[in-house]
Structures are given as C-alpha cells and as structure tokens.
Amino acid sequence: MRDGQGGKGRAGAGWPDGFAELRAARGGSAGLLAGVAAFSVAVNLLALTGPLFMLQIYDRVLTSGSVPTLTALFLLVTFLFLMMGVIDLARSRVMARVALRLQERLEPRVFQATLADSAAVGADDHRQTGLRDLDSLRQLVASPLATALFDLPWAPLFLAALYLFHPTLGAVATLGLLVLVLATWLNQRLTRPPLRDAAAAEHLADRTAALYRNEGELITALGMRGATLARWRQSRHRMAQSLLSALDRGAFFSVFSKSFRLFLQSALLAAGAWLVLRQELTPGAMIASSVLMGRALAPIDQLVAGWSAMQRALDGWDRLGHLLTRHPPQRPRTPLPRPAARVDVANLSIIPPQGAVPVLRCVGFSLAPGQALGVIGPSGAGKSTLARALTGGWPAAGGTIRLDGATLDQYDPDQLGRLIGYLPQQVTLFDGTVAENIARLSQPDPAAVVRAAIAAAAHRMILALPQGYDTPVSQAGARLSGGQVQRIGLARALYGDPVLLVLDEPDSNLDHEGSAALNLAIRGVKARAGAVVITAHRPAAIVECDLLLRMDRGQPVALGPRDEVLRETVCNPGPPRHAAAETGRGAA
Ligand SMILES: Nc1ncnc2c1ncn2[C@@H]1O[C@H](COP(=O)(O)OP(=O)(O)OP(=O)(O)O)[C@@H](O)[C@H]1O
C-alpha cells in the first residue's frame, strides 16, 4: 500500500507516524502473508496443469492413440486440480484471517483517533470516516482482489512459458499485456476523481439524513420538510452524478479489458495457427499457449473489474494514515497522585482546531481548593472556549493550565477525565441506562451514582422514570425534558467527586429548584476542597462564586472578587479595558 506524505512529521518526536503504524499492523500478519505467498507459488505452478495437459493430449495422446496414457494423464490432472482447489481455498481463508487481524489490531487506535478527531474538529466533519475506511480495507484484503495481487507477479512466468513455446507468441502476449496494463492505469486515473467525489457526496448525504432524522420534530414544526428533502436530494444527486461518471468510465475499461482479452486469445490462436502452418509449433502448444495467456491476464482482468473497491481501500489507507498521524498514540505518563484542587492558568491563548487565530488570549487566574470562579461575558466572549481548555479538550496554543502544579498534558487523559467533572452547554446522553450514563458508561458504583444524582437534584426525577436508574435512555429515544437531561448531565459531572468541576452555562435549562440544587452542589464541591469554574449568563448561577472573570471578545476585561467585578461591570459595561488584574494570576 502507498504512504501518504501530507501527515508526515507531525507525529510526536520518537513516535511512529500514522503510516508507520499501518505498516506495523500489516507487518503483524507477515507470517500469514508469507504463507499466502507460498500458497500462491503452488497455485500458480499448478495452474500450468491445464496447458500442459492440453499439450500432452494434442501432441502425445492424439498422435499415439494411447488410452492408458490418456487415463493416467487424466487421473494426474484430476489430482492436481483438486490440490489447486484446496490450496486456493486455504489461501482465501488465510487472507480472511489476515483481514480480520488487521482490523482487530487497528480498530482501537482508529476508534480513539476518530474520537480525538471529533473532539478537535467537530463531530459532523467529513473526516469522521476512520472506521468506515478500516472496513473497506478489511473488505479489500478479504476479497479475491487481494489474491489477484498475489497472482500478478506470476504473469511474467506464464509469459516466459509462452516465449519458450515460440518468441512470436511471447511477443503477442506481451503486447497484449502492456495494452491491458495501460488500460488499468488509465482506468485508475480517470475513475479516481469521480469516485472520491461520490464518496464525499455520499458521506454528506448520510450525515444530512442522520441530522434531519434526529431533528424530525423541529423540521415538521418549522415547515422545513420540503426544504430539507430538497437539500438531501441535492447531495444524493451529486453523489449519483459522480458515481455515474465513475461507473461509465469504469464500465468502458471493464468492457474494453474483457473484450480485448477475448480478442487477444483469438489473436494468439491465429498467430499459433500460422506458426503451426509454418511447422514452427505443434497444435498442442498452440492450444496450450492460449490457455496460458488467459491465466497470465486473469489477475489484470480482476483488478480492472474490482477497481472501485481497490480505490476505496487505497484512499482509506491514505486517510487512515493521516488520521493516525494527527492523533499519535498516547505516550505513557508517570501516574500522578490525586491532585489538590489548585488551578493555575497563566497567559493562556487558544486557537480552535482548524482555526488560524486565537479566540482566547492572555487569560490568567488562580483558583485555590474550595474556590469557585464565575466566568461571565457576552455571547462569543470565549467562555465555552475557556471551559473546553480547562477540561483538556482544546490544547493551549500559548500559556499554561496547571492542576496542582502539573500541566494538563502531564496527566493520563483518562485519569484527567476522572479528575474533572464537565457539564457542556449541550448535554448528550448515550445509549445505556440512566445509571450507566451518570457513571460515564463505566461499571456503575450504585452508591456513587445515587450520591451524584442527589447532589444534582436529579434523584427524585430519576425515581419517577419507568425503571428508575435502570431506565434505558438514548439520544433519540429518551423522553426527558431539557432540564431533566441537564440534571442528569450535572450528576454525571459530579460522579466520582472530581477535583475540578467545569460547568458551561449549567442553568440554561434549569427551573428554580434546579438552580437551587446546582448552587447546593457547587457548595458541596467547595466544602470538600474541590474547585469550580462556571460560565454563566444569569446572575443566579454565580451566587456561589468567590471570584469572577469577565471576558469580552476572547480577552479578560476584569478579574477579582465576585462583588467587586459585578460592581465594576455595572459601572463600566463597555468595551474591553485592560485592568491590572486582566492578565494577572494572583487573584485567588
Ligand atoms: N470550533 C471553532 N472554530 C473556530 N472558532 C470558534 C470555534 N468555536 C468557537 N469559536 C469562536 O470562538 C469565539 C468564542 O466562542 P465561545 O463559544 O467560547 O463563546 P461563549 O462566550 O461561550 O459564547 P456563548 O455565551 O454564546 O456560549 C467565538 O467568536 C466563536 O466564533
């Protein structure tokens, strides 16, 4: 398989790039592939059985009229073909196992890289095809196309045999082979762009359909059915057009290759007959050479016919290489003890993934255990960006975030995830029970689940569900209100007593009772010496905050004790002002 270039050098120092990982995974089946190559030697040598048998029938049996020779040859041929079938079958079965092994070996890495990509780029980005690419790779390896690749290097052997029969036959076959190789290359060149377009358009159409499916209620309510159908059909139409163009071109080459192969066989027969007439060849050799050439050209025919699958897999290999390069394997980190809730942010700037300019600049503050920081500011001020950065979701482009002295990347990501409770603006629940969702899909600790639910004021609401904590929920199937989902999300954030709790507009869907419970939960975290960061639009959400950070257009405009900053905000709600505290660290 090919190596892409674009992603090279982006992997961490000392770590293999994505393509090296792919090659290593393929190398993991080197023994099996060597076995397949050995089987291919046997299969291709045994493929000479047919031509040799014909040679013997025409030149020995028919001339001598010997029935015993015919019988012996026939029995031998039966045995050899049987052997060939058995070995060919074994070869296919081994390739199926190679394919499975490749998939099993790469799946965890690809899954993690896809998740990381989705966290960095956004779930709806068109690059979310890692697992699908791996599937097409597995399908290719398990398909007859892969075995055709093993047969391809044997074509010269059959050509050599033709040259042995007669150089003219060899020359005709070589010429034919070159034409077919040229046709295969042209096929690849001409069908690749439309096939890529079709795959991209198909992905877009699938994504659009999934989004519309999830938002069916909204679409109906807003009378958007016609418009959504038109848009979906537009992307389907684009896919159909590209696919049609690829199929048309592919069909041309497929038909050309098939017809040319048949023609070539007749041409070779004609050349053979001419040589027989000139008494330079025996009739047996003439027939055998025709069969031999068929065998030499078969893998090329197979490759032309299955080119779109081949192309999909090759493109998939490229994309996977880049995906794995973008997200190199986690380096092992020395496990750190559970930190104290001391958060130090210094001169932090954040550039969103795929972004070019920082959307957060020069942010600095310190939080001591037992303190809560409120982050306020107008829409687009950078509050959610700061929340994402504090959870380790978006890496710092400049400056640092330290938790008890260690930068976030010094923690193992899973450990960090357990140390931080995060409630995003939009809460998503996953397939599983309510308890499993609160326990972050790990094996739930029932006491901890109930404790977290009580702290989030979700306990009674959960008990009212048909099966209580064991009620299955899913993104689409759950019949929970926005506030109920938010409370379960808060319970999930509180599960496991995190050191740092990051709440991104936690009260956007909460009623009075929910807001009161939220404040109680924040007080609880502070009481057990945790730290809390809350972004908010509403004053009710920051009543438990000791410190307040006011942001505007990605920059801090005020930082200090809550009431002081609130007073300042009332007196001076205008554009950014660079107070001494703006970039300071020592507000805590
Ligand atoms: N993925 C992204 N790529 C590029 N820019 C982004 C991305 N996400 C956010 N931004 C930009 O970063 C800035 C801050 O956005 P952010 O969501 O942090 O604001 P916010 O203060 O949380 O707003 P709101 O109160 O409306 O939630 C905005 O200008 C936004 O356009």
Side-chain angles (χ1 to χ4, degrees):
M1 303 269 180
R2 304 158 303 168
D3 294 348
Q5 296 299 317
K8 289 201 167 174
R10 272 185 277 161
W15 287 98
D17 71 10
F19 291 97
E21 274 188 76
L22 292 179
R23 283 194 299 271
R26 187 185 56 191
S29 296
L32 290 180
L33 290 172
V36 171
F39 284 148
S40 301
V41 174
V43 166
N44 282 284
L45 286 179
L46 285 168
L48 294 173
T49 304
L52 288 177
F53 181 61
M54 280 179 201
L55 199 63
Q56 297 305 316
I57 293 292
Y58 276 90
D59 294 350
R60 204 174 289 250
V61 177
L62 293 186
T63 49
S64 70
S66 163
V67 175
T69 310
L70 175 63
T71 312
L73 280 175
F74 181 69
L75 285 177
L76 184 66
V77 139
T78 308
F79 172 74
L80 290 177
F81 272 129
L82 200 68
M83 287 301 296
M84 190 170 116
V86 169
I87 295 171
D88 212 2
L89 182 66
R91 186 166 72 145
S92 304
R93 289 176 66 114
V94 173
M95 282 308 278
R97 276 145 189 82
V98 169
L100 219 62
R101 194 187 269 200
L102 189 72
Q103 187 172 30
E104 277 172 2
R105 200 170 156 165
L106 285 171
E107 221 163 32
R109 266 290 284 137
V110 172
F111 183 78
Q112 280 168 357
T114 307
L115 274 192
D117 221 38
S118 130
V121 177
D124 59 352
D125 186 82
H126 70 278
R127 286 188 290 180
Q128 300 308 306
T129 50
L131 293 170
R132 208 190 289 183
D133 285 337
L134 191 55
D135 262 345
S136 38
L137 209 57
R138 177 187 49 77
Q139 279 164 12
L140 173 75
V141 176
S143 77
L145 275 179
T147 40
L149 285 175
F150 277 91
D151 290 336
L152 203 55
W154 289 88
L157 172 89
F158 299 121
L159 283 185
L162 283 175
Y163 274 103
L164 277 183
F165 283 149
H166 197 284
T168 309
L169 295 182
V172 170
T174 307
L175 208 67
L177 194 74
L178 287 178
V179 170
L180 282 176
V181 167
L182 186 72
T184 311
W185 178 77
L186 272 177
N187 182 20
Q188 188 263 345
R189 295 270 308 182
L190 294 176
T191 55
R192 188 174 196 184
L195 276 176
R196 277 193 167 169
D197 288 351
E202 185 183 10
H203 183 63
L204 185 71
D206 286 355
R207 211 181 62 193
T208 314
L211 185 67
Y212 291 165
R213 231 181 6 249
N214 286 342
E215 299 298 336
E217 210 176 294
L218 177 75
I219 287 167
T220 310
L222 293 180
M224 292 162 59
R225 272 198 290 202
T228 49
L229 177 66
R231 278 180 182 243
W232 177 72
R233 288 196 64 187
Q234 218 172 24
S235 39
R236 294 289 296 177
H237 180 71
R238 220 171 30 244
M239 180 201 83
Q241 287 303 311
S242 305
L243 205 59
L244 200 64
S245 158
L247 286 176
D248 279 350
R249 293 175 192 191
F252 169 79
F253 285 105
S254 176
V255 168
F256 171 79
S257 154
K258 212 175 347 174
S259 316
F260 185 75
R261 204 163 77 114
L262 290 174
F263 161 76
L264 203 59
Q265 224 140 5
S266 300
L268 196 82
L269 211 58
W274 180 67
L275 291 171
V276 171
L277 291 178
R278 288 166 59 100
Q279 298 193 337
E280 291 179 34
L281 195 72
T282 64
M286 175 188 75
I287 300 292
S289 61
S290 168
V291 177
L292 213 52
M293 195 187 58
R295 181 73 204 181
L297 301 183
I300 294 184
D301 229 20
Q302 243 173 324
L303 289 179
V304 173
W307 189 253
S308 57
M310 182 79 136
Q311 191 61 66
R312 236 189 344 265
L314 291 176
D315 287 345
W317 175 272
D318 265 358
R319 276 194 299 263
L320 281 176
H322 289 302
L323 175 76
L324 297 182
T325 305
R326 275 199 302 280
H327 304 285
Q330 296 293 336
R331 62 186 160 83
R333 292 165 169 92
T334 306
L336 296 174
R338 186 178 167 88
R342 190 173 300 285
V343 182
D344 291 290
V345 176
N347 213 15
L348 178 71
S349 28
I350 299 287
I351 300 177
Q354 292 195 311
V357 289
V359 294
L360 205 68
R361 288 179 303 276
C362 306
V363 176
F365 62 85
S366 287
L367 265 184
Q371 279 192 322
L373 169 80
V375 185
I376 56 170
S379 285
K383 303 183 297 295
S384 299
T385 305
L386 177 60
R388 283 193 191 109
L390 287 171
T391 60
W394 284 5
T400 53
I401 303 174
R402 291 183 185 274
L403 182 59
D404 200 14
T407 50
L408 296 185
D409 60 0
Q410 289 179 33
Y411 291 92
D412 173 79
D414 283 344
Q415 186 200 7
L416 187 69
R418 283 192 297 273
L419 294 172
I420 295 176
Y422 176 47
L423 178 68
Q425 248 178 45
Q426 274 171 0
V427 180
T428 308
L429 297 180
F430 301 101
D431 276 339
T433 64
V434 171
E436 285 166 347
N437 267 279
I438 293 176
R440 306 177 181 191
L441 298 186
S442 64
Q443 185 59 36
D445 168 357
V449 167
V450 173
R451 211 170 44 243
I454 291 173
H459 180 64
R460 279 169 189 282
M461 177 268 288
I462 294 171
L463 291 183
L465 293 172
Q467 296 168 54
Y469 280 91
D470 303 316
T471 309
V473 293
S474 68
Q475 286 145 295
R479 288 285 164 260
L480 296 164
S481 73
Q484 287 170 329
V485 169
Q486 201 155 26
R487 283 192 211 184
I488 294 176
L490 180 60
R492 181 172 64 190
L494 291 169
Y495 181 80
D497 298 333
V499 170
L500 171 65
L501 186 64
V502 181
L503 308 174
D504 195 359
E505 290 190 34
D507 63 339
S508 56
N509 283 314
L510 295 184
D511 55 9
H512 180 68
E513 187 205 359
S515 290
L518 172 71
N519 288 330
L520 200 67
I522 295 169
R523 222 175 302 154
V525 175
K526 285 168 62 177
R528 60 169 176 77
V532 187
V533 175
I534 313 153
T535 76
H537 277 294
R538 292 199 237 159
I542 51 167
V543 292
E544 291 301 329
C545 292
D546 309 276
L547 299 168
L548 211 54
L549 169 65
R550 187 156 71 88
M551 310 261 313
D552 198 354
R553 286 176 258 179
Q555 281 184 305
V557 282
L559 169 69
R562 187 196 64 202
D563 294 336
E564 237 173 69
V565 173
L566 277 181
R567 242 191 332 271
E568 245 186 79
T569 308
V570 172
C571 299
N572 178 28
R577 183 178 61 79
H578 290 277
E582 282 169 22
T583 56
R585 294 164 33 106

